[in-house]
Amino acid sequence: MTPHTPSPVTLNVELGERSYPIHIGAGLLGGPQWLTPYLAGRQVMVVTNEVVAPHYLERFKAGLPADLEVRELVLPDGEATKTLEHVSRIWDALLEAGFNRRCTLVALGGGVIGDMVGFAAAGYQRGVAFLQVPTTLLSQVDSSVGGKTGVNHPLGKNMIGAFWQPRAVLIDTDTLVTLPPRELSAGLAEVIKYGLIRDADFLAWLEANMAALRALDQAALREAIRRSCALKAEIVAADETEQGVRALLNLGHTFGHAIEAHQGYGNWLHGEAVGTGMLMAAELSRRLGWLSEADVARSRRIVAAAGLPEAAPAAMGVDDFLSRMRLDKKNIDARLRLILLRGLGDACLDDQTPPSLLEALLRDYPRS
Amino acid sequence: MTPHTPSPVTLNVELGERSYPIHIGAGLLGGPQWLTPYLAGRQVMVVTNEVVAPHYLERFKAGLPADLEVRELVLPDGEATKTLEHVSRIWDALLEAGFNRRCTLVALGGGVIGDMVGFAAAGYQRGVAFLQVPTTLLSQVDSSVGGKTGVNHPLGKNMIGAFWQPRAVLIDTDTLVTLPPRELSAGLAEVIKYGLIRDADFLAWLEANMAALRALDQAALREAIRRSCALKAEIVAADETEQGVRALLNLGHTFGHAIEAHQGYGNWLHGEAVGTGMLMAAELSRRLGWLSEADVARSRRIVAAAGLPEAAPAAMGVDDFLSRMRLDKKNIDARLRLILLRGLGDACLDDQTPPSLLEALLRDYPRS
């Protein structure tokens, strides 16, 4: 093994009976030892999309034991695919194939595929096994941990879904070589997020390794993914169904969702909007006296180093933000809650910020 | 309180964090003390159907505290309604009303409404609270306990769904006065089932009280429902997600589903098909040497006393049964499993019955 193909690592997500391993490394796809132990029975359905299939579907299938009944379903690419209608197509395919309760679904692709296949597994015959094989950095560090599955509704993102844990997650860092650089940057936004909310040491590590990550250094990628998943797993284990601390994972997301919704989904990538949203949260935290100017400048430098936008969209006014922020799923009984920073590496849930301070931030924050 | 309005009883279904009470009695509908403690927040959506709404919707709403935001949704009646499209209508209504994660769904109606509303609650924003107010005997003794929710698919019954427990179940035995007698009998099939699989004393009690139950004696109904729910709760607590002993609850269902499917859903009621199916299982058990002729005769007498058919449909041949029995969800990896009786009050899961014995039963069993 050369220095360029570091050995795989395994992280366990501890959730009692629902615990599962995340295997991370270069070249795992196609190695049967990473998958076989987690199959529930002989029936396996691999669900992927039109962009991922040409790159990885055959390589994945080559790693499955020969005596299985393997089906595949290739869906269209993109966030617009994340609908109940497409999940219903997965259910149709499972029933047409005569798949029983011991079947296994495999999600081969990014977050959209993972969310849909997880929800399909949660609802098929009241719950069957599924494996996640995330092929984008965002899905590797975000949806690999936490069991959130679901689809969008015309009236809101992720409004229909379930908490459903995979049996195992297989992350092959080699798959990132085919990922467009803009999507790599979007994934790095979530990686930076873990440092900002919980781990100042990791933030410093990221500052030192950002260039290596963007150059797809496999050892650096493995380490960034491992630490991100470990941080998320620690939070999820403490709060599986998001009653408390798990909300901290939404740092940057209330602002970010407003940007995504205003710009039209897909025009700003989720990670891009989260990157800018985190900087807006940092600036608001500074105005509350919690962060220093130097802290905010450091946050901006690392977001910029990841290749992410710092400024909010030029066309968005204060009301464009506010109207969309109030629709956010976290706002129980119409009270606006924000995730802010008490320090770098120390996020908190806040519902005491005066509306005037928030409005001033939305007015003053730099636009592109 | 007169002898004709017996006091309510409460049964607790023990499922750890997901434990919940079942309140059973005459006249509970409209009593706020039975509901208020279980509301998750201020937003409540009552889902019912066109048959139940004229009888009970206003009475139910009158029992809700005045300061709630109450919405209602009235769906069409019948098994044909139990589709993903109708669950999707519930999700649409919740989103159009701006309901958040602390809302509460109420299922006011029979098993179809309960299954759909439970699945809608399981999938709305990854899970919200729901209350069951079952108004048919079948739903009171069956779907009140166990958390099975879901919808039918063109390729199979209950193929899409989730395990999702209610916060509480409110059973008003008074609602049975508007139930058609044929549906009361269908509910009694499931009541008899509990005696047959698990409780010979209860079976003897049912023999002594069948006339009172069919005459809607409120004290007898309360007792039959309480004991049925308690027996089911005991089994479910031991096996929440149907890995083992819970399969015993399917006594009569493999034969019954074949009858329902062959006759077209709704032509034979589910309970009617289960009643006949239990007698077929009893007869097969006799041929295996497990039941005596007297046991089988006793089973037939109580099924007949409940007003249920004993004979299978005239038009059904051996292959009509076999082809549908092999599609049953319980047949893991194509192995035919049956629930049979080692004795009255002692059911078992069997996968050793020689196919020739089963085929002989299907050929010889009386037809109508």
Side-chain angles (χ1 to χ4, degrees):
Chain A
M1 208 162 275
T2 76
H4 296 289
T5 54
S7 55
V9 293
T10 295
L11 174 77
N12 281 298
V13 180
E14 302 294 344
L15 291 168
E17 285 180 2
R18 294 182 299 286
S19 298
Y20 63 89
I22 303 178
H23 302 298
I24 311 163
L28 301 197
L29 218 61
Q33 72 275 30
W34 304 109
L35 282 166
T36 314
Y38 311 107
L39 301 175
R42 290 186 58 259
Q43 299 174 320
V44 176
M45 182 167 293
V46 186
V47 184
T48 185
N49 72 32
E50 289 167 351
V51 170
V52 174
H55 292 300
Y56 302 114
L57 182 55
E58 289 310 313
R59 199 191 299 180
F60 175 81
K61 283 163 62 185
L64 289 170
D67 63 337
L68 300 177
E69 184 184 348
V70 179
R71 308 286 176 127
E72 57 193 57
L73 179 64
V74 180
L75 297 174
D77 180 45
E79 184 80 17
T81 307
K82 202 171 128 175
T83 61
L84 191 59
E85 288 67 32
H86 282 100
V87 168
S88 208
R89 275 184 55 187
I90 302 175
W91 287 329
D92 294 345
L94 290 165
L95 283 161
E96 282 157 15
F99 271 32
N100 63 33
R101 291 159 69 184
R102 286 201 193 154
C103 68
T104 306
L105 272 62
V106 177
L108 175 68
V112 168
I113 286 290
D115 284 4
M116 282 199 293
V117 175
F119 187 48
Y124 188 61
Q125 301 205 19
R126 301 198 189 93
V128 298
F130 96 108
L131 304 178
Q132 278 194 300
V133 187
T135 58
T136 65
L137 182 59
L138 178 60
S139 60
Q140 289 168 352
V141 299
D142 183 15
S143 41
S144 292
V145 182
K148 282 191 179 179
T149 71
V151 296
N152 299 329
H153 184 279
L155 295 178
K157 282 191 76 174
N158 296 317
M159 283 291 155
I160 311 302
F163 285 98
W164 195 248
Q165 306 294 343
R167 289 251 182 141
V169 178
L170 185 69
I171 297 177
D172 184 342
T173 51
D174 263 351
T175 60
L176 298 178
V177 302
T178 54
L179 191 69
R182 193 177 157 197
E183 290 197 36
L184 187 78
S185 292
L188 288 169
E190 299 280 350
V191 174
I192 293 167
K193 185 189 77 176
Y194 296 112
L196 283 174
I197 63 175
R198 192 97 168 173
D199 190 338
D201 288 345
F202 184 41
L203 200 66
W205 184 91
L206 285 171
E207 288 171 321
N209 288 275
M210 191 54 77
L213 291 168
R214 292 186 72 187
L216 300 177
D217 177 285
Q218 295 287 313
L221 286 169
R222 188 196 61 177
E223 178 65 5
I225 294 166
R226 185 189 67 75
R227 289 181 77 159
S228 295
C229 290
L231 283 161
K232 182 164 183 183
E234 190 185 307
I235 292 172
V236 168
D239 181 20
E240 193 176 348
T241 56
E242 195 164 344
Q243 307 302 308
V245 66
R246 187 162 174 171
L248 301 185
L249 294 171
N250 289 314
L251 175 67
H253 282 60
T254 301
F255 297 111
H257 283 160
I259 294 174
E260 280 185 277
H262 181 269
Q263 296 289 297
Y265 289 107
N267 292 318
W268 274 53
L269 297 180
H270 175 71
E272 291 171 337
V274 166
T276 300
M278 292 191 298
L279 295 182
M280 295 178 79
E283 173 59 17
L284 185 55
S285 304
R286 186 192 67 76
R287 295 183 184 196
L288 287 162
W290 298 343
L291 290 192
S292 68
E293 297 229 11
D295 289 333
V296 173
R298 221 182 126 192
S299 305
R300 287 170 57 186
R301 274 196 303 275
I302 189 148
V303 164
L308 293 160
E310 296 168 67
M316 277 187 84
V318 174
D319 288 341
D320 293 325
F321 272 101
L322 280 180
S323 61
R324 287 173 180 83
M325 290 169 75
R326 296 202 194 286
L327 283 174
D328 196 277
K329 209 157 61 251
K330 290 178 294 300
N331 301 316
I332 302 297
D333 293 328
R335 198 163 183 183
L336 193 63
R337 295 172 182 221
L338 291 169
I339 313 301
L340 298 177
L341 294 168
R342 292 256 171 209
L344 295 186
D346 181 16
C348 64
L349 176 65
D350 177 85
D351 60 3
Q352 300 295 319
T353 295
S356 59
L357 206 62
L358 175 63
E359 284 169 37
L361 172 90
L362 295 174
R363 197 174 52 239
D364 305 345
Y365 191 85
R367 299 299 197 276
S368 58
Chain B
M1 209 164 271
T2 76
H4 295 289
T5 54
S7 57
V9 293
T10 296
L11 174 77
N12 281 298
V13 180
E14 302 294 344
L15 291 168
E17 284 180 3
R18 292 181 300 287
S19 298
Y20 63 89
I22 303 177
H23 301 298
I24 311 163
L28 301 197
L29 218 61
Q33 72 275 28
W34 303 110
L35 283 166
T36 314
Y38 311 107
L39 301 174
R42 289 187 59 258
Q43 300 175 320
V44 176
M45 183 167 292
V46 186
V47 184
T48 184
N49 71 32
E50 289 166 353
V51 170
V52 173
H55 293 300
Y56 302 114
L57 182 54
E58 289 310 314
R59 199 191 297 180
F60 175 80
K61 283 164 61 185
L64 290 170
D67 63 336
L68 300 177
E69 185 185 347
V70 180
R71 307 285 176 129
E72 57 192 59
L73 180 64
V74 181
L75 297 174
D77 179 46
E79 184 80 17
T81 307
K82 203 170 127 174
T83 61
L84 191 60
E85 288 68 31
H86 282 99
V87 168
S88 208
R89 276 184 55 187
I90 302 174
W91 287 329
D92 293 344
L94 290 165
L95 284 161
E96 283 158 14
F99 271 31
N100 63 33
R101 290 159 71 183
R102 286 201 192 152
C103 68
T104 306
L105 272 64
V106 177
L108 176 67
V112 169
I113 286 290
D115 284 4
M116 281 198 294
V117 176
F119 187 47
Y124 188 61
Q125 300 205 18
R126 302 198 188 95
V128 298
F130 95 109
L131 305 179
Q132 277 193 300
V133 187
T135 58
T136 65
L137 181 59
L138 178 59
S139 60
Q140 289 168 352
V141 300
D142 184 16
S143 40
S144 292
V145 182
K148 283 191 180 179
T149 72
V151 296
N152 299 328
H153 184 280
L155 295 177
K157 282 190 76 175
N158 296 318
M159 283 292 155
I160 311 303
F163 285 98
W164 195 248
Q165 306 295 342
R167 288 252 182 139
V169 178
L170 185 69
I171 297 177
D172 185 342
T173 51
D174 264 351
T175 59
L176 299 178
V177 302
T178 53
L179 191 70
R182 193 177 157 197
E183 290 197 38
L184 187 79
S185 291
L188 288 169
E190 298 281 349
V191 174
I192 294 166
K193 185 189 75 176
Y194 295 112
L196 283 174
I197 63 176
R198 192 96 166 175
D199 190 339
D201 288 345
F202 183 42
L203 200 65
W205 183 91
L206 285 172
E207 290 173 320
N209 288 275
M210 191 53 78
L213 291 168
R214 293 185 72 186
L216 299 178
D217 178 287
Q218 295 288 313
L221 287 169
R222 189 196 60 177
E223 178 66 5
I225 294 166
R226 183 188 68 77
R227 289 181 76 159
S228 295
C229 289
L231 283 161
K232 183 163 182 185
E234 190 184 307
I235 292 170
V236 168
D239 181 19
E240 192 176 347
T241 55
E242 195 164 346
Q243 307 301 309
V245 66
R246 187 163 174 170
L248 301 185
L249 294 171
N250 288 314
L251 175 67
H253 283 60
T254 301
F255 296 111
H257 282 160
I259 294 174
E260 281 185 276
H262 181 269
Q263 296 289 296
Y265 289 107
N267 293 316
W268 274 54
L269 297 180
H270 175 70
E272 291 171 338
V274 167
T276 301
M278 292 192 296
L279 295 182
M280 295 178 79
E283 173 60 18
L284 185 54
S285 303
R286 187 191 67 76
R287 295 181 183 197
L288 287 162
W290 298 343
L291 290 193
S292 67
E293 298 229 12
D295 289 333
V296 173
R298 223 183 124 192
S299 305
R300 288 170 55 187
R301 274 197 303 275
I302 189 150
V303 164
L308 293 161
E310 297 168 67
M316 279 187 82
V318 174
D319 287 341
D320 293 324
F321 271 100
L322 280 181
S323 60
R324 286 173 180 84
M325 290 169 74
R326 294 202 195 286
L327 284 174
D328 197 278
K329 209 157 59 252
K330 290 178 294 298
N331 301 317
I332 304 298
D333 292 330
R335 196 162 186 185
L336 193 63
R337 294 171 184 222
L338 291 169
I339 313 301
L340 298 176
L341 294 168
R342 292 257 170 208
L344 295 188
D346 181 16
C348 63
L349 176 66
D350 177 86
D351 60 3
Q352 300 296 318
T353 295
S356 60
L357 206 61
L358 174 64
E359 284 170 36
L361 172 91
L362 294 173
R363 195 173 54 238
D364 306 345
Y365 190 85
R367 298 301 199 278
S368 56

